[in-house]
Amino acid sequence: MKNDHPELDRFDRAILGVLAVDGRISITDLARKIGLSKSPTQARLRRLEADGVITGYRALFDPIRLGLDHVSFVEVRLQDTREAALAEFNAAVARVPEIEQVHLIAGNFDYLMKVRTQNMSDYRRVLAEHISTLPHVSNTSTYVAMQAVKENALSDII
């Protein structure tokens, strides 16, 4: 059984820090950067993957260069917050590609979503066709971001 919170030593954290910045680094270069030889570095990397600490590798894109510079944060209130309703909402929201992040909130509303679109009219379409039609949605409030002041990568935390 996988440990939910495996113990990470300084080498494990160093591996994570390097990979967060450069996920395509070779094992040889990774080993050199963290101060271990290649074999133990590779074994640690495999363990971090097997333990679920590293869940995958992907390319990061600049949303501005892709024409996706309109960011809205949407508060969502549900009319039903029992587990079955939450599960139904969670499954449906996962199918909307414009919704970048979704968080269940303890507060005056139930979910906070980050939605990324090309412009306001595109956002209005997503709101009308997708967000407002999600299961159990009672109402929404939208806040439009004017500028991203700080967006941390996990590499900044590790």
Side-chain angles (χ1 to χ4, degrees), residues 27-40:
I27 292 292
T28 304
D29 290 339
L30 177 60
R32 184 180 44 75
K33 282 191 177 222
I34 68 164
L36 285 177
S37 63
K38 184 177 171 182
S39 293

PDB file of all heavy atoms in Angstrom, residues 27-40:
ATOM      1  N   ILE A  27      18.902  11.827 -16.620  1.00  0.00           N
ATOM      2  CA  ILE A  27      19.267  11.257 -15.316  1.00  0.00           C
ATOM      3  C   ILE A  27      20.695  11.673 -14.944  1.00  0.00           C
ATOM      4  O   ILE A  27      20.970  12.013 -13.795  1.00  0.00           O
ATOM      5  CB  ILE A  27      19.134   9.718 -15.316  1.00  0.00           C
ATOM      6  CG1 ILE A  27      17.667   9.313 -15.417  1.00  0.00           C
ATOM      7  CG2 ILE A  27      19.777   9.108 -14.082  1.00  0.00           C
ATOM      8  CD1 ILE A  27      16.850   9.661 -14.191  1.00  0.00           C
ATOM      9  N   THR A  28      21.590  11.666 -15.914  1.00  0.00           N
ATOM     10  CA  THR A  28      22.983  12.043 -15.663  1.00  0.00           C
ATOM     11  C   THR A  28      23.082  13.478 -15.150  1.00  0.00           C
ATOM     12  O   THR A  28      23.755  13.750 -14.148  1.00  0.00           O
ATOM     13  CB  THR A  28      23.822  11.882 -16.947  1.00  0.00           C
ATOM     14  OG1 THR A  28      23.692  10.529 -17.410  1.00  0.00           O
ATOM     15  CG2 THR A  28      25.283  12.215 -16.718  1.00  0.00           C
ATOM     16  N   ASP A  29      22.380  14.392 -15.812  1.00  0.00           N
ATOM     17  CA  ASP A  29      22.419  15.793 -15.390  1.00  0.00           C
ATOM     18  C   ASP A  29      21.698  15.989 -14.063  1.00  0.00           C
ATOM     19  O   ASP A  29      22.134  16.778 -13.218  1.00  0.00           O
ATOM     20  CB  ASP A  29      21.817  16.699 -16.466  1.00  0.00           C
ATOM     21  CG  ASP A  29      22.700  16.802 -17.700  1.00  0.00           C
ATOM     22  OD1 ASP A  29      23.913  16.521 -17.601  1.00  0.00           O
ATOM     23  OD2 ASP A  29      22.165  17.167 -18.767  1.00  0.00           O
ATOM     24  N   LEU A  30      20.598  15.258 -13.857  1.00  0.00           N
ATOM     25  CA  LEU A  30      19.872  15.335 -12.595  1.00  0.00           C
ATOM     26  C   LEU A  30      20.770  14.872 -11.455  1.00  0.00           C
ATOM     27  O   LEU A  30      20.857  15.527 -10.408  1.00  0.00           O
ATOM     28  CB  LEU A  30      18.600  14.488 -12.663  1.00  0.00           C
ATOM     29  CG  LEU A  30      17.753  14.406 -11.398  1.00  0.00           C
ATOM     30  CD1 LEU A  30      17.272  15.786 -10.970  1.00  0.00           C
ATOM     31  CD2 LEU A  30      16.573  13.466 -11.623  1.00  0.00           C
ATOM     32  N   ALA A  31      21.443  13.750 -11.651  1.00  0.00           N
ATOM     33  CA  ALA A  31      22.346  13.212 -10.627  1.00  0.00           C
ATOM     34  C   ALA A  31      23.445  14.221 -10.286  1.00  0.00           C
ATOM     35  O   ALA A  31      23.751  14.452  -9.109  1.00  0.00           O
ATOM     36  CB  ALA A  31      22.954  11.902 -11.109  1.00  0.00           C
ATOM     37  N   ARG A  32      24.009  14.834 -11.310  1.00  0.00           N
ATOM     38  CA  ARG A  32      25.062  15.819 -11.089  1.00  0.00           C
ATOM     39  C   ARG A  32      24.534  17.010 -10.286  1.00  0.00           C
ATOM     40  O   ARG A  32      25.166  17.474  -9.349  1.00  0.00           O
ATOM     41  CB  ARG A  32      25.619  16.297 -12.436  1.00  0.00           C
ATOM     42  CG  ARG A  32      26.787  17.256 -12.317  1.00  0.00           C
ATOM     43  CD  ARG A  32      27.337  17.723 -13.671  1.00  0.00           C
ATOM     44  NE  ARG A  32      26.331  18.085 -14.651  1.00  0.00           N
ATOM     45  CZ  ARG A  32      25.617  19.229 -14.630  1.00  0.00           C
ATOM     46  NH1 ARG A  32      25.807  20.103 -13.674  1.00  0.00           N
ATOM     47  NH2 ARG A  32      24.731  19.481 -15.563  1.00  0.00           N
ATOM     48  N   LYS A  33      23.321  17.475 -10.618  1.00  0.00           N
ATOM     49  CA  LYS A  33      22.760  18.646  -9.932  1.00  0.00           C
ATOM     50  C   LYS A  33      22.440  18.380  -8.460  1.00  0.00           C
ATOM     51  O   LYS A  33      22.532  19.287  -7.645  1.00  0.00           O
ATOM     52  CB  LYS A  33      21.497  19.128 -10.644  1.00  0.00           C
ATOM     53  CG  LYS A  33      21.798  19.907 -11.887  1.00  0.00           C
ATOM     54  CD  LYS A  33      20.562  20.592 -12.413  1.00  0.00           C
ATOM     55  CE  LYS A  33      20.951  21.412 -13.615  1.00  0.00           C
ATOM     56  NZ  LYS A  33      20.311  22.708 -13.632  1.00  0.00           N
ATOM     57  N   ILE A  34      22.044  17.151  -8.136  1.00  0.00           N
ATOM     58  CA  ILE A  34      21.679  16.879  -6.742  1.00  0.00           C
ATOM     59  C   ILE A  34      22.827  16.298  -5.931  1.00  0.00           C
ATOM     60  O   ILE A  34      22.710  16.140  -4.722  1.00  0.00           O
ATOM     61  CB  ILE A  34      20.437  15.968  -6.636  1.00  0.00           C
ATOM     62  CG1 ILE A  34      20.736  14.555  -7.126  1.00  0.00           C
ATOM     63  CG2 ILE A  34      19.256  16.578  -7.364  1.00  0.00           C
ATOM     64  CD1 ILE A  34      19.702  13.543  -6.691  1.00  0.00           C
ATOM     65  N   GLY A  35      23.927  15.944  -6.605  1.00  0.00           N
ATOM     66  CA  GLY A  35      25.108  15.477  -5.876  1.00  0.00           C
ATOM     67  C   GLY A  35      25.104  13.996  -5.547  1.00  0.00           C
ATOM     68  O   GLY A  35      25.719  13.587  -4.561  1.00  0.00           O
ATOM     69  N   LEU A  36      24.432  13.201  -6.356  1.00  0.00           N
ATOM     70  CA  LEU A  36      24.467  11.742  -6.211  1.00  0.00           C
ATOM     71  C   LEU A  36      24.930  11.129  -7.521  1.00  0.00           C
ATOM     72  O   LEU A  36      24.920  11.797  -8.554  1.00  0.00           O
ATOM     73  CB  LEU A  36      23.076  11.192  -5.882  1.00  0.00           C
ATOM     74  CG  LEU A  36      22.530  11.379  -4.475  1.00  0.00           C
ATOM     75  CD1 LEU A  36      21.118  10.818  -4.387  1.00  0.00           C
ATOM     76  CD2 LEU A  36      23.423  10.720  -3.446  1.00  0.00           C
ATOM     77  N   SER A  37      25.275   9.853  -7.482  1.00  0.00           N
ATOM     78  CA  SER A  37      25.603   9.178  -8.732  1.00  0.00           C
ATOM     79  C   SER A  37      24.313   8.801  -9.459  1.00  0.00           C
ATOM     80  O   SER A  37      23.208   8.915  -8.916  1.00  0.00           O
ATOM     81  CB  SER A  37      26.477   7.952  -8.472  1.00  0.00           C
ATOM     82  OG  SER A  37      25.768   7.018  -7.702  1.00  0.00           O
ATOM     83  N   LYS A  38      24.466   8.333 -10.683  1.00  0.00           N
ATOM     84  CA  LYS A  38      23.316   8.076 -11.548  1.00  0.00           C
ATOM     85  C   LYS A  38      22.396   6.984 -11.015  1.00  0.00           C
ATOM     86  O   LYS A  38      21.172   7.160 -11.003  1.00  0.00           O
ATOM     87  CB  LYS A  38      23.838   7.698 -12.942  1.00  0.00           C
ATOM     88  CG  LYS A  38      22.770   7.507 -13.967  1.00  0.00           C
ATOM     89  CD  LYS A  38      23.392   7.205 -15.330  1.00  0.00           C
ATOM     90  CE  LYS A  38      22.331   6.792 -16.309  1.00  0.00           C
ATOM     91  NZ  LYS A  38      22.883   6.445 -17.607  1.00  0.00           N
ATOM     92  N   SER A  39      22.929   5.864 -10.551  1.00  0.00           N
ATOM     93  CA  SER A  39      22.084   4.746 -10.100  1.00  0.00           C
ATOM     94  C   SER A  39      21.193   5.093  -8.913  1.00  0.00           C
ATOM     95  O   SER A  39      19.987   4.841  -8.950  1.00  0.00           O
ATOM     96  CB  SER A  39      22.935   3.516  -9.782  1.00  0.00           C
ATOM     97  OG  SER A  39      23.511   3.026 -10.962  1.00  0.00           O
ATOM     98  N   PRO A  40      21.725   5.685  -7.829  1.00  0.00           N
ATOM     99  CA  PRO A  40      20.834   6.047  -6.730  1.00  0.00           C
ATOM    100  C   PRO A  40      19.819   7.135  -7.114  1.00  0.00           C
ATOM    101  O   PRO A  40      18.689   7.139  -6.623  1.00  0.00           O
ATOM    102  CB  PRO A  40      21.753   6.544  -5.623  1.00  0.00           C
ATOM    103  CG  PRO A  40      23.128   6.396  -6.089  1.00  0.00           C
ATOM    104  CD  PRO A  40      23.126   5.880  -7.488  1.00  0.00           C
TER     105      PRO A  40
END
